[in-house]
């Protein structure tokens, strides 16, 4: 092997190393851009919500599927499960962008509710407003308006959030 071959290999190795470094930096940037409030903070806030007895939540990305928050929140016996769901979704909505919340459920005894039970086909962005544009240290809790059974979705009505109308 000649000197020219060695120089080419060193050059190719340096180029490959640079590409890997740029890809890793890019992933870090995308990750921080997509996580307005860190997942562990969101999950802790959900666990601390009134009416929540326990929560087992995670963020998951499977090849070919939409990224999603998923898991189960167990509501206290005297809590309104739709309100617990509404507050849970409002907190999680402040996390990663382009992430589905439809795989989160609230259970209370034999009752189980999901986003469809709360909002029907209404986009979650219409209910919870814009997501934070930059990383936040915590989510802003949003109180639930008790559900109204005469609404077409059977769900809760939007609660007021400062600076936003329901």
């Amino acid at each position: 092997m000649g000197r020219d071959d060695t120089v080419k290999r060193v050059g190719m190795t340096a180029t490959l190393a640079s590409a890997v470094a740029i890809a890793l930096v890019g992933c870090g940037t995308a990750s921080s851009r997509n996580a307005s409030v860190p997942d562990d903070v969101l999950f802790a806030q959900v666990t601390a919500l009134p009416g929540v007895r326990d929560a087992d939540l995670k963020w998951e990305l499977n090849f070919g599927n939409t990224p999603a928050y998923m898991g189960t929140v167990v509501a206290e016996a005297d809590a309104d499960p739709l309100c617990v769901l509404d507050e849970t979704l409002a907190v999680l909505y402040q996390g990663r962008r382009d992430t589905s919340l439809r795989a989160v459920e609230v259970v209370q005894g034999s009752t189980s509710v999901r986003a469809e039970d709360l909002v029907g086909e209404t986009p979650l962005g219409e209910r919870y407003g814009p997501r934070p544009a930059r990383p936040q240290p915590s989510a802003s809790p949003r109180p639930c308006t008790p559900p109204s059974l005469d609404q077409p979705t059977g769900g809760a009505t939007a609660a007021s959030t400062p600076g936003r109308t329901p």
Side-chain angles (χ1 to χ4, degrees), residues 36-90:
S36 294
V37 178
D39 293 342
D40 59 334
V41 172
L42 294 172
F43 301 158
Q45 283 189 251
V46 168
T47 302
L49 287 171
V52 172
R53 185 170 49 131
D54 190 25
D56 180 19
L57 299 167
K58 65 182 177 177
W59 179 82
E60 192 166 287
L61 174 62
N62 292 317
F63 182 75
N65 293 325
T66 301
Y69 285 113
M70 53 184 48
T72 303
V73 175
V74 179
E76 297 283 351
D78 61 345
D80 181 322
L82 282 175
C83 277
V84 171
L85 177 65
D86 185 41
E87 292 169 343
T88 296
L89 296 180

